Amino acid sequence: MSTASGTAFMKLSCHCGANSFSFPVVLPINKKYKSIRLCVCSDCRYQNGTLAGSFVPAPSVPFDPDSPPSGITVYRSSDIAARYFCSTCSCQLLFRQSLPELAKDEGNGFWIATGGLQLPSGEQFEVDAVNFVDCALDGGLASWLPSQSINKTLQANINVEDVSALEIAAKDIDNTDILEGKCHCGKVNIALSRPGQGENELPPKTWGDNTDLMVPYYTPREKQPPIVSENPWWIREEQVPGKGKRFLGGLCTCASCRTIAGVEVQSWIFVPTVCIKLKLPDGSVTEWPSREQLVTDERFENVIGTYQSTAGDPGVLRGYCKTCGANIFWDGLTRQGLIDISAGIFTHRGIREEAWIEWWTERVSYVEDAEGRHCIGQCLEQGLKDWKKRLGGHV
């Protein structure tokens, strides 16, 4: 913990740099400004596309809520809540509750989405609480905190035993033939069919380099496992015999995902594009569009915003809902017919859809990017292992 005194700044910025804010704070910084609240409510999951939002209270008012900067899109997720995201890169920046009791608060009801937030030098975030766990029928991201941490962080009088009970109860929810997902406003609707049903999902028609989730980026090429044509890493074995193969899913704490989603932990599903159907607002259903179509075809361009690669992400194209800002997909040049889709948009049944997704428990992707920022990445790595153990070693 920093022992400095005086005044410093908490600095908030998005990935593309179009929006930035500075919040003056007195040192040593008040604990509440560095104590992250993870939120697994349905609004946060559908609106940012991840399994949880992450927030700290704003120490001051960033702008007039009725007149936000021109580079910000405002989405009202309820009668009392407004969310502010970058119109260019989609980074979730701020959330505001317009409640009378917060009108005189120092931040006037504003909360900062922590993904793009930097604390003064020497300070580090910590997880203070996980809110609205009862909105996730299986415990959501809270299930993946280390067992010894759950009682300390969960709110609404939910403890580790309650979370375990939620996990067991969720197993009884019926399987589905199609996995449906949609953003908060409902303009982006995606339907997934089971993987492993056709040769188009196998190399060379569908291709992807080893993912950092399974093979750390620093692994020398000659030591990386080969891509097995008959059983590639993105197609996983069925959870229950007869229910069909699954997609691989995992968590990522890389700096790019963090500053584009605006949250500390992004959650992805790796999906062959032949398994994806996109329903447009006019009711028409189409195959997943090509990169070129997403950028130039107004049928898709009017609904899904795209953010092109930067120096830090060469060849990467990301997509988001233009209306509510939900992160939708990641597509890279090291892939062919295989994209990452944000897992949060598939949680409308309140579960992690384990009959469709094998959640990787051995690593959080780019966990090294979170070092010196907080311990959330390492906590989740341990928590995923604890979760797998609770389930008898089979997820």
Side-chain angles (χ1 to χ4, degrees):
M1 183 179 72
S2 174
T3 58
S5 60
T7 302
F9 293 90
M10 296 167 57
K11 296 182 179 181
L12 175 67
S13 61
C14 57
H15 188 271
C16 70
N19 295 282
S20 60
F21 304 92
S22 293
F23 299 88
V25 289
V26 175
L27 298 177
I29 188 171
N30 190 312
K31 183 180 179 180
K32 68 179 180 180
Y33 300 134
K34 59 181 181 179
S35 296
I36 292 175
R37 293 191 180 188
L38 297 176
C39 183
V40 297
C41 80
S42 56
D43 284 346
C44 282
R45 298 198 311 270
Y46 312 153
Q47 193 271 330
N48 62 34
T50 67
L51 294 182
S54 56
F55 304 95
V56 294
S60 56
V61 179
F63 49 75
D64 181 345
D66 295 323
S67 183
S70 59
I72 285 180
T73 298
V74 183
Y75 175 67
R76 303 196 180 280
S77 53
S78 74
D79 292 341
I80 61 168
R83 297 170 187 261
Y84 302 81
F85 64 92
C86 174
S87 305
T88 300
C89 69
S90 82
C91 177
Q92 307 292 322
L93 293 163
L94 295 147
F95 165 72
R96 182 173 182 266
Q97 296 171 298
S98 54
L99 297 171
E101 59 266 32
L102 298 178
K104 295 181 180 180
D105 183 75
E106 55 203 350
N108 193 16
F110 274 100
W111 291 77
I112 303 173
T114 63
L117 183 63
Q118 294 293 332
L119 294 176
S121 178
E123 299 287 355
Q124 187 167 319
F125 289 111
E126 59 185 49
V127 177
D128 177 62
V130 184
N131 294 340
F132 296 103
V133 177
D134 49 350
C135 288
L137 300 183
D138 56 9
L141 193 74
S143 292
W144 295 338
L145 290 172
S147 298
Q148 68 271 21
S149 305
I150 290 179
N151 287 340
K152 184 179 73 172
T153 57
L154 294 187
Q155 299 219 326
N157 297 317
I158 294 178
N159 57 33
V160 65
E161 289 78 18
D162 296 325
V163 170
S164 296
L166 289 172
E167 293 172 347
I168 294 170
K171 296 289 185 185
D172 294 330
I173 296 177
D174 291 338
N175 193 15
T176 58
D177 295 327
I178 297 294
L179 182 59
E180 297 182 345
K182 62 181 179 179
C183 61
H184 193 277
C185 71
K187 290 188 177 179
V188 177
N189 278 267
I190 292 174
L192 303 183
S193 56
R194 287 282 179 187
Q197 304 298 318
E199 63 179 18
N200 286 338
E201 299 167 56
L202 303 175
K205 294 183 179 179
T206 296
W207 177 259
D209 263 353
N210 283 308
T211 168
D212 177 81
L213 180 68
M214 305 176 80
V215 183
Y217 68 92
Y218 49 78
T219 305
R221 176 69 66 175
E222 64 273 14
K223 293 186 178 180
Q224 295 187 18
I227 308 297
V228 180
S229 297
E230 299 78 16
N231 189 29
W233 57 261
W234 54 86
I235 297 177
R236 313 303 294 175
E237 291 302 316
E238 53 195 12
Q239 184 187 46
V240 178
K243 287 197 173 182
K245 291 186 179 290
R246 297 181 290 169
F247 304 108
L248 177 68
L251 305 180
C252 181
T253 55
C254 82
S256 293
C257 284
R258 174 170 53 78
T259 54
I260 290 175
V263 300
E264 297 299 329
V265 184
Q266 172 60 289
S267 48
W268 293 116
I269 311 172
F270 302 86
V271 183
T273 54
V274 296
C275 297
I276 309 172
K277 297 291 186 184
L278 179 63
K279 183 178 180 180
L280 298 173
D282 63 6
S284 62
V285 178
T286 178
E287 307 289 335
W288 183 254
S290 67
R291 290 168 64 107
E292 182 179 1
Q293 287 176 311
L294 283 162
V295 174
T296 62
D297 190 326
E298 65 178 14
R299 290 182 303 158
F300 310 113
E301 189 184 9
N302 290 338
V303 179
I304 300 177
T306 54
Y307 178 50
Q308 296 276 8
S309 62
T310 64
D313 291 313
V316 168
L317 183 72
R318 295 177 184 253
Y320 60 95
C321 174
K322 279 190 168 180
T323 300
C324 68
N327 271 248
I328 303 297
F329 75 88
W330 181 102
D331 189 5
L333 294 181
T334 59
R335 304 275 187 86
Q336 177 178 296
L338 180 69
I339 65 173
D340 299 357
I341 303 185
S342 290
I345 66 173
F346 295 102
T347 60
H348 282 263
R349 298 203 303 163
I351 58 176
R352 294 180 299 261
E353 297 292 353
E354 291 156 34
W356 280 85
I357 306 164
E358 179 189 326
W359 291 100
W360 192 249
T361 59
E362 302 307 307
R363 173 173 166 82
V364 170
S365 188
Y366 291 99
V367 68
E368 298 81 9
D369 277 14
E371 290 180 3
R373 179 175 176 82
H374 51 59
C375 64
I376 295 175
Q378 293 93 330
C379 283
L380 286 168
E381 283 194 329
Q382 181 58 53
L384 284 161
K385 292 178 174 63
D386 291 349
W387 173 67
K388 183 177 182 179
K389 185 176 180 180
R390 287 201 302 273
L391 297 180
H394 179 64
V395 297

